[in-house]
Amino acid sequence: MATDTKPQRQINLSVLAKASLSNMLENWKKINVDATFTFLKKPEVGMAMVRAQAGGGSENFNMGEMTMTRCVIRLDSDEVGYGFVAGRSKKKSELMAIIDACWQKESLRNIIEEKIIEPLHLLQIISAQKIADNTKTSKVNFFTMVRGE
């Protein structure tokens, strides 16, 4: 997977949060894991403050709020999984929490990384590259002409 200074679980949660629900479900079905769990927090929709920074050295300010959905589950084997997603997808936050909890089980870690996390991450890289390529075609180079002297 990606070589990053962030812990692997943090990378996984980031990949899952950015993935589409349909891609997550498709990959989840491939591993055929029976994840029996209880809700610690059922999926619920709420708001989160988005902080921003104007310029390189200025202070942060509250830009506005965005809708988020969160879910916390506990597997019967006691692993706790979290799902925080932008928007109102209760199903996505629940599935994210289940995948997070299952990843914490040593016996499932490699298969989840191989069959779920890595394919989703690859799709995100490809999508970002397509956007970058499309943006390059519209790039404008500005220059300044200096009047004689």
Side-chain angles (χ1 to χ4, degrees), residues 40-137:
L40 297 180
K41 282 196 182 289
K42 288 188 177 186
E44 58 186 4
V45 177
M47 301 293 278
M49 181 60 66
V50 177
R51 307 265 301 154
Q53 187 179 53
S58 59
E59 294 193 27
N60 292 340
F61 64 94
N62 294 336
M63 189 169 91
E65 293 181 329
M66 68 178 280
T67 307
M68 289 194 68
T69 306
R70 72 175 175 178
C71 178
V72 183
I73 62 106
R74 174 177 285 144
L75 294 178
D76 288 351
S77 53
D78 275 346
E79 293 82 7
V80 175
Y82 297 87
F84 287 84
V85 299
R88 298 177 169 270
S89 179
K90 291 181 178 183
K91 182 69 179 165
K92 182 177 174 183
S93 68
E94 181 182 330
L95 181 57
M96 181 176 171
I98 294 168
I99 293 170
D100 177 44
C102 288
W103 177 84
Q104 294 174 59
K105 294 178 79 162
E106 194 68 40
S107 60
L108 295 175
R109 185 167 294 163
N110 288 338
I111 193 165
I112 287 175
E113 286 182 6
E114 180 183 319
K115 301 286 185 184
I116 298 175
I117 305 297
E118 289 177 5
L120 292 174
H121 191 224
L122 183 60
L123 283 174
Q124 291 167 9
I125 290 170
I126 291 168
S127 176
Q129 187 59 48
K130 283 181 183 176
I131 291 169
D133 291 345
N134 288 340
T135 304
K136 281 182 189 175
T137 62

